[in-house]
Each structure stands twice: as C-alpha cells, then as structure tokens.
Amino acid sequence: MLILSITNPKGQKKYVCAAFPSACGKTNLAMMMPKLPGYEVKTVGDDIAWLRFDEAGTLRAINPEAGFFGVAPGTSYKTNPIAMDTCMTNTVFTNVAETSDGGIYWEGIDEKFGKGVSITDWKGKPWKVGTKDPPAAHPNSRFCTPAAQCSIMDPEWESPRGVPISAVIFGGRRPKGVPLVFEAFDWAHGVFIGASMRSESTAAAEHKGKVIMNDPMAMRPFLGYNFGHYLQHWLNLSKNSKNKMPRTFHVNWFRTDAAGKFMWPGFGDNSRVLEWICRRVDGENCADKSPIGYVPKADALNVTGMKDKVDMAALFDVPKDFWLQEVADLKKYFAQVGKDLPSEIGRQLEALEQRVRAK
C-alpha cells in the first residue's frame, strides 16, 4: 500500500492508503503533481504500509521502507517528474538499457540523445530507438532510490506513531466495466471489494499476455497464511467498538473505450478523484447509490482547469451483463477457499448479485 497526504486550498490535510498490484500506478499516485488548482500531495511511501489502530482507535500507517522500488518503463518527466528527479543520482537500476554516454534508457522515458549516442539493451546487445521487439529494457525493470532524495516527502514520513488514515483505496487495471471510482457501503463491503480485486496482468506478474487475474488486496503474491483467515482478520477489525474505521474505495484509472483508448487522463488529474474521496470522508452528500457502491453524483467531480474531454456517463456506467459475469467469476474464485471463506464474504457476493440483477 502506498501512503500519501493531500492538502486542500484551506490547508486541511488527509492521509490515505492505496493498494494496487505492481505496475498499476502506485508510485505515480504517491508522487502526483495535482492538476486540481490549490491542492498539494506529499509522499509517505509508495509500496508498503504497516497499519495499526492506536489507543484512541485511529488507524495509523507507517512506511517501513527507506526508499522507492519503482517500475522504470513508462516513467518520464511527463508521467512522473518527481520520480525522475529522485532517481537521477545515488540510484540502483535493474535490467534497464544503457546509453554510451553513461546514461540509462527504457521504454517511455522520452529522453533525447546527443549526436552519436548509442544504446545497449538490458541483455547487453546493441539496440536502436524505434525497435519494439525486443524492448530496450525489461518490462519489469526497476529503479531503487532513497526516499530522502524525494522533494515531496511528507514531514511525518518517518514518524514512529505513523500517520492517521482517513481512507483505504483499492484498485487495479480494468479495461472494461469498472467505474473510475466507487465507495463501499460499509467496512464489510469494503473488505469484500478488496477481496474481489481483479486486474489485468502486467510484467510484474507471472501471467503471459493480458489476462484478468484475481489479486485480493493486491496481496496475491505475498499472502503468507490461510486466505480465508486473512479476510476474517480484516472483517474482525470493525468488531472493536473503539476503532474508527476508515472509508474504503475502489479506483480504476485504466478503463478504455470501444477504440481501446483510455477514458480518463490519469496522472495529475487523479487528484480530482482524491478530492472527491476526501469530501466523502467529510460526509458530503456528493454520491449516488449504484449496485456496486456509491459513485459520484453527476458533476460531483471537480473538473476545474481540466483540458481533456471526458464522457463521465460512460466512465461511471455499471453494465449489468459485465457485472453478472463478474459475480460468476468471483463465485468460482472464492469456491477455492472452501470452508475457510468467511460467511460475510459469501453474503456480500450474494447481495451484489441481487443488486445487479435488480438493476
């Protein structure tokens, strides 16, 4: 889970955690430069969050890592200028290409070269710009750089108490059917949303080709014990009446239209989604109920200064046939857990099917 803070023009700051599978934008979100005027994002961490409730029942998070381990391909001064500035010194690069003048190169870096500069790919072979197969850098090549070099680290990023978490966000790559953002009805529904996470596979996964894989809580490669018990632990957190449960959300920056183009510009414009999440945390009535959760009311997203034209109706559409298939796929997936699947997860799945069928 990444951890970030977002501060509005009034100086009000909130911290959120977000769990995405690898290569789904954690570092980009954690180091975002908001396009929403007057907003500021600071980084606590881009990968791991250790969570606990304090003596007052507030959920707190710390980043146990001393640096960033980001996916290199696609990182550029256009997509993540903060990451680029951070990794330009005192950094270890793995499986990237090398330029003859001592620089580094990967797909999407968008760097121009001086006359006579040549490139050696990650396998040590000569490579020319424009070649697609093989790529210059491995699709899962990385940069490993100290967090202290990042210019937007939050002042509390090393606080031993951790930072107070107002919202937990789940998300993945879903080209079809899944809205830009929706909110869980309650904590149990939020745990179900996290358990039901699915995402198009990336170079960081073992799957070949673009297939939709189950990745509960973005923890599929890392779960160290019984999955059913893990989910029950999440559900049990709300049983302590002292605990102040954060709101839970799901985001999807990667929905595409019929032509295969992204429907949402992403990157700095994702601040608009975070702003809506913060308003929901504050109790603002800016959402409508849908079969899968609360979605923003029409015109609820703040699009001040937004250059891209976005079809909001299509972006937040909840297709009945798609979600009935989603339910069927989740039934097969959860059946693998057997008797250890918490009954609440089964109840949530049944309730989702009923709401979708009634749509």
Side-chain angles (χ1 to χ4, degrees):
M1 279 187 172
L2 69 89
I3 315 167
L4 63 79
S5 67
I6 180 167
T7 305
N8 67 17
K10 296 180 179 179
Q12 298 167 330
K13 176 188 282 192
K14 287 183 173 59
Y15 291 92
V16 303
C17 288
F20 307 154
S22 292
C24 286
K26 289 195 299 295
T27 302
N28 286 342
L29 187 63
M31 299 182 184
M32 179 174 56
M33 297 182 70
K35 289 189 176 180
L36 194 57
Y39 281 77
E40 181 182 60
V41 165
K42 295 285 188 179
T43 307
V44 176
D46 78 327
D47 191 29
I48 297 176
W50 287 354
L51 304 171
R52 68 175 181 87
F53 287 93
D54 65 16
E55 61 282 356
T58 299
L59 183 65
R60 290 185 172 272
I62 67 168
N63 168 23
E65 296 183 307
F68 304 118
F69 186 53
V71 176
T75 304
S76 69
Y77 276 102
K78 180 181 178 181
T79 62
N80 194 336
I82 301 296
M84 291 295 290
D85 285 341
T86 302
C87 74
M88 284 298 108
T89 185
N90 194 27
T91 296
V92 174
F93 296 94
T94 59
N95 297 331
V96 302
E98 184 180 9
T99 61
S100 59
D101 60 353
I104 39 83
Y105 179 85
W106 53 72
E107 277 65 25
I109 196 172
D110 294 334
E111 291 289 289
K112 295 182 178 180
F113 304 104
K115 187 176 181 180
V117 174
S118 60
I119 299 175
T120 301
D121 73 11
W122 71 283
K123 293 183 178 180
K125 298 179 180 179
W127 189 88
K128 291 184 178 181
V129 175
T131 303
K132 293 185 177 181
D133 190 15
H138 188 283
N140 197 31
S141 55
R142 300 277 179 152
F143 57 84
C144 186
T145 190
Q149 295 180 181
C150 178
S151 62
I152 62 165
M153 294 305 294
D154 188 89
E156 296 297 310
W157 83 276
E158 291 185 294
S159 168
R161 276 182 56 79
V163 295
I165 299 301
S166 296
V168 172
I169 305 170
F170 299 110
R173 288 179 179 264
R174 298 305 305 268
K176 304 297 178 185
V178 179
L180 176 65
V181 60
F182 60 95
E183 180 188 355
F185 296 130
D186 52 34
W187 178 253
H189 185 225
V191 174
F192 170 74
I193 288 172
S196 303
M197 273 179 57
R198 307 179 76 208
S199 184
E200 187 177 74
S201 61
T202 68
E206 71 274 18
H207 295 281
K208 300 296 183 181
K210 293 184 177 182
V211 298
I212 301 297
M213 63 180 188
N214 293 89
D215 196 349
M217 314 288 193
M219 284 288 290
R220 186 184 59 85
F222 311 110
L223 286 172
Y225 66 100
N226 183 295
F227 177 41
H229 296 174
Y230 179 80
L231 295 180
Q232 189 61 58
H233 170 71
W234 275 75
L235 291 166
N236 288 346
L237 293 175
S238 66
K239 292 183 178 180
N240 186 336
S241 59
K242 184 177 71 173
N243 290 346
K244 304 166 188 174
M245 308 310 297
R247 297 205 184 199
T248 48
F249 300 82
H250 187 284
V251 298
N252 176 30
W253 319 129
F254 303 98
R255 192 169 187 173
T256 57
D257 60 19
K261 295 182 179 180
F262 289 122
M263 299 172 67
W264 178 252
F267 302 110
D269 282 306
N270 291 339
S271 57
R272 305 175 190 282
V273 175
L274 293 183
E275 190 257 4
W276 180 80
I277 287 173
C278 289
R279 287 157 55 199
R280 289 295 295 160
V281 168
D282 287 338
E284 183 176 333
N285 180 19
C286 55
D288 289 327
K289 190 173 183 179
S290 81
I292 63 172
Y294 295 113
V295 297
K297 289 180 179 289
D299 301 324
L301 279 189
N302 187 340
V303 295
T304 302
M306 190 169 183
K307 297 179 179 179
D308 297 79
K309 292 184 178 179
V310 176
D311 185 343
M312 293 293 182
L315 191 61
F316 288 102
D317 183 38
V318 180
K320 183 173 183 177
D321 289 344
F322 172 91
W323 279 94
L324 287 176
Q325 184 59 54
E326 193 81 353
V327 167
D329 292 341
L330 287 171
K331 284 182 178 179
K332 293 178 182 178
Y333 179 69
F334 286 134
Q336 300 175 80
V337 187
K339 62 181 179 59
D340 290 323
L341 183 73
S343 58
E344 179 60 28
I345 299 299
R347 190 191 72 78
Q348 290 285 341
L349 182 57
E350 181 179 348
L352 171 62
E353 182 175 19
Q354 291 174 353
R355 293 192 300 267
V356 173
R357 290 193 181 281
K359 185 176 183 290

